[in-house]
Amino acid sequence: MSQSGLMQGFPPSPENQVTTQNWRTSPFSSWAFRNIRQLLPTAPIHASRNHRWELSRTPRNLTDLPFQDIQGREVTLGKFLIDNNVDGFIVLHNGAVVFEHYDHGLLPYSPHILFSVSKSMTAILTGILVDRGFLDPDSPITEYIPEVNSSAYETATVRHLLDMSVGISFNEDYENEAGDFARYRMATGWIPLTEPGAPDNLRSFLPTLKKEGDHGVAFHYVSPNTDLLGWVLERTSDLPFAELFSREIWQPMGAEYDAYINVDRLGAPRSAGGICVTLRDFGRFGQMCLDMGLGNGQSIVPNWWLRDIRQNADQAVWNAGNFAEFMPNWRYRSKWYISPTGVYAGLGVFGQFLYVDPAADVVIARFSSRPKALDPTDKDSSYLAYETICELLNR
């Protein structure tokens, strides 16, 4: 099926309709990922109308840049972008845009879903509230959200949420159509509610999760942890997530366009995977992180929080976890993956990336609509491409 016919016509033909049943499958995802607000409830993250962070430009043609992929084959960056269903790709070096690529209907003003890079953004917002004394990462979650007493989270801390080290019975299997992960999707509204009696909203779902193992021992990737973190941020700030993110990050950062976040039927934010932003604003956010919280001429995020992310991840917890096999010697801190070379990254399913290399002074932001949610081989090839870009720009 051609992507060009999706959602065309008044109404679209049945085979070209994007729905809550098919929106995460190819080819429907190429339209869905840049049109989430036409499929799911959302809340606006407003940009400022008064001051924009103007990005300088020093263009480089990177399309023909060759590199070796994970199979040892020489490919060009341009072929890599096509083969990996890349919708948008931007590279910043020394704070200036050097390369920008759009495909599959994405335009500079089109917000695209970030999936789990939303987690990394949520953790940056968390650092602002921690710095201002709204919450303590070492405090029990139940101090802020007593509703999760008698659940997996009863004795866990906010730090356990941040570092994905909650001892919890939950299998994040994107191909599984049953069990806790399917019920989670039903609660978020990402798939139709088909199980009688299952929770129909996030705040009812989260207290149903059960403990398994000790907290703080092993990395265990569980998206609901970050949705609960979003609830903590709302409870401690007394503001909806979208409004808080707008006030503390999006407006002072000088974002060019409004963003938005998917919410459940009762307005709970999908802080684990529902933030949608434009490509250049994605790059601006990465540049702010690279510049230790400085953006648009002002301090937005406390630099000590970003230093903590870069320096204080627990290697033993990562090594004991379920990602160490295909990301050996990496670490994880506050929803960011930290490489052995000091690169840190936010990763999302279907090929979303925010790659920050402080040593090379490079930020790479990527939107994709890959057919599969997870493909570790693609991720390895991606890092090889990014490393080649950084080497070229720093010759």
Side-chain angles (χ1 to χ4, degrees):
M1 180 187 298
S2 171
Q3 298 173 350
S4 60
L6 294 174
M7 297 300 285
Q8 297 296 308
F10 309 97
S13 59
E15 67 273 15
N16 283 315
Q17 292 175 12
V18 182
T19 69
T20 53
Q21 284 90 349
N22 66 22
W23 71 275
R24 288 171 291 106
T25 61
S26 180
F28 306 100
S29 56
S30 68
W31 184 92
F33 291 176
R34 55 185 168 84
N35 287 286
I36 292 296
R37 58 186 158 200
Q38 295 189 50
L39 292 166
L40 303 169
T42 62
I45 298 172
H46 293 295
S48 172
R49 300 293 178 259
N50 299 322
H51 61 288
R52 179 195 301 176
W53 183 355
E54 298 292 347
L55 296 173
S56 58
R57 307 183 70 86
T58 55
R60 299 280 298 269
N61 181 8
L62 302 181
T63 304
D64 297 326
L65 178 66
F67 72 97
Q68 283 196 337
D69 69 10
I70 194 63
Q71 284 81 30
R73 301 170 302 191
E74 184 169 295
V75 297
T76 64
L77 180 64
K79 187 176 189 306
F80 170 83
L81 298 178
I82 293 170
D83 290 347
N84 288 281
N85 299 77
V86 173
D87 304 322
F89 193 85
I90 191 169
V91 180
L92 292 88
H93 181 226
N94 298 328
V97 177
V98 298
F99 183 76
E100 201 169 1
H101 165 87
Y102 295 88
D103 203 352
H104 307 139
L106 189 78
L107 297 169
Y109 53 79
S110 307
H112 190 290
I113 191 168
L114 300 179
F115 289 107
S116 288
V117 188
S118 304
K119 296 177 173 68
S120 307
M121 288 189 162
T122 297
I124 295 297
L125 178 60
T126 301
I128 295 173
L129 295 195
V130 170
D131 188 63
R132 295 182 184 173
F134 282 86
L135 71 152
D136 178 358
D138 296 321
S139 291
I141 300 163
T142 53
E143 181 177 319
Y144 309 107
I145 311 292
E147 291 91 332
V148 295
N149 268 314
S150 303
S151 77
Y153 301 109
E154 182 173 17
T155 58
T157 66
V158 175
R159 173 50 63 193
H160 294 139
L161 291 182
L162 284 161
D163 292 349
M164 290 290 189
S165 60
V166 176
I168 189 170
S169 176
F170 189 86
N171 181 17
E172 187 135 344
D173 181 356
Y174 298 99
E175 306 301 324
N176 194 348
E177 300 297 327
D180 280 336
F181 195 67
R183 285 190 287 274
Y184 169 54
R185 282 175 166 165
M186 292 177 201
T188 66
W190 278 28
I191 62 174
L193 188 65
T194 57
E195 184 178 318
D200 66 353
N201 67 91
L202 271 169
R203 297 186 187 110
S204 294
F205 170 78
L206 292 168
T208 70
L209 296 174
K210 303 303 180 185
K211 189 172 185 292
E212 183 178 281
D214 296 327
H215 303 310
V217 174
F219 174 86
H220 180 192
Y221 191 86
V222 174
S223 283
N225 291 347
T226 312
D227 293 309
L228 180 53
L229 181 61
W231 192 1
V232 170
L233 299 183
E234 292 189 318
R235 184 65 62 80
T236 56
S237 67
D238 200 29
L239 286 172
F241 183 96
E243 184 177 341
L244 181 67
F245 198 92
S246 172
R247 189 180 74 175
E248 300 298 341
I249 293 180
W250 218 237
Q251 293 193 23
M253 187 187 78
E256 188 173 359
Y257 294 103
D258 291 347
Y260 58 89
I261 184 170
N262 165 227
V263 295
D264 75 2
R265 72 174 190 86
L266 296 179
R270 285 300 332 283
S271 44
I275 297 178
C276 304
V277 306
T278 63
L279 184 62
R280 289 174 192 160
D281 285 334
F282 199 17
R284 286 180 174 93
F285 186 91
Q287 188 66 43
M288 177 188 69
C289 294
L290 176 64
D291 291 339
M292 300 302 292
L294 297 176
N296 200 27
Q298 58 184 309
S299 177
I300 300 166
V301 182
N303 59 22
W304 70 264
W305 183 254
L306 289 160
R307 285 199 309 273
D308 179 81
I309 289 171
R310 296 183 188 185
Q311 299 172 5
N312 291 335
D314 191 317
Q315 189 71 62
V317 170
W318 175 263
N319 291 345
N322 59 341
F323 278 23
E325 180 180 354
F326 62 90
M327 296 176 72
N329 300 317
W330 284 65
R331 295 169 293 137
Y332 190 84
R333 182 72 167 178
S334 295
K335 314 293 182 188
W336 289 83
Y337 299 84
I338 301 96
S339 83
T341 62
V343 167
Y344 58 108
L347 310 180
V349 290
F350 300 104
Q352 320 319 311
F353 264 95
L354 185 57
Y355 178 94
V356 181
D357 186 341
D361 203 357
V362 168
V363 172
I364 300 172
R366 166 181 151 185
F367 298 144
S368 295
S369 49
R370 288 184 53 79
K372 295 185 66 174
L374 287 179
D375 189 341
T377 299
D378 164 56
K379 289 181 180 177
D380 289 341
S381 294
S382 296
Y383 292 120
L384 294 171
Y386 304 159
E387 290 167 2
T388 303
I389 291 170
C390 291
E391 290 169 5
L392 173 70
L393 295 176
N394 283 278
R395 285 176 186 165

